[in-house]
Amino acid sequence: LQDGMLKQVVAAMATPFAAIRGIPAFYRMLNKPVPTKASPYVESSIRPLTAFREVLVNSTISDQKIMNCWLQDMVEGAAEEFTSQATQLIEMTHQQEASLRRLAGRGGSGGDDQVS
């Protein structure tokens, strides 16, 4: 029961993380500066944890240690999911940059063969 409960809250917390995939394109296309505050998905990812915490506070569970352990496990699970998605995004961005460099290199070397 505990494992299922933890997985369900972590899954609800992780759902908004899919929005991180759009961050590089958003800032690149609009030529905006690097973000300095949390993206909107951060607040929405915390809502399930906050709601679960409220349920715990209003429940008959009196062992604060158990409640804190559950909350910590949920945060750690969500952090692992975020780390996984962010790592994938960074790897994909690096691959795109490498492809663009290769394409730019081909375009530059082709100019030497042209007759003027």
Side-chain angles (χ1 to χ4, degrees):
L1 181 64
Q2 175 182 332
D3 195 40
M5 173 184 63
L6 294 174
K7 285 181 182 179
Q8 193 169 16
V9 175
V10 168
M13 291 175 69
T15 300
F17 295 158
I20 68 171
R21 293 191 182 277
I23 291 174
F26 179 75
Y27 284 90
R28 189 173 24 238
M29 289 188 327
L30 297 177
N31 215 13
K32 292 180 118 186
V34 175
T36 57
K37 63 179 186 167
S39 296
Y41 72 85
V42 174
E43 184 180 333
S44 61
S45 68
I46 294 173
R47 282 189 198 124
L49 181 70
T50 304
F52 184 77
R53 184 182 167 281
E54 289 302 315
V55 168
L56 286 177
V57 168
N58 296 320
S59 73
T60 57
I61 300 171
S62 61
D63 190 341
Q64 190 70 31
K65 190 174 179 181
I66 290 174
M67 289 191 282
N68 288 339
C69 183
W70 287 348
L71 293 170
Q72 182 173 346
D73 287 348
M74 290 172 186
V75 170
E76 288 174 0
E80 287 174 12
E81 180 62 30
F82 179 83
T83 300
S84 173
Q85 290 191 32
T87 300
Q88 290 173 11
L89 175 65
I90 291 168
E91 289 171 356
M92 184 179 68
T93 302
H94 285 220
Q95 289 172 355
Q96 288 173 345
E97 288 174 354
S99 293
L100 289 173
R101 279 193 297 275
R102 281 193 303 275
L103 289 173
R106 287 182 192 162
S109 64
D112 295 341
D113 297 337
Q114 294 178 348
V115 177
S116 41

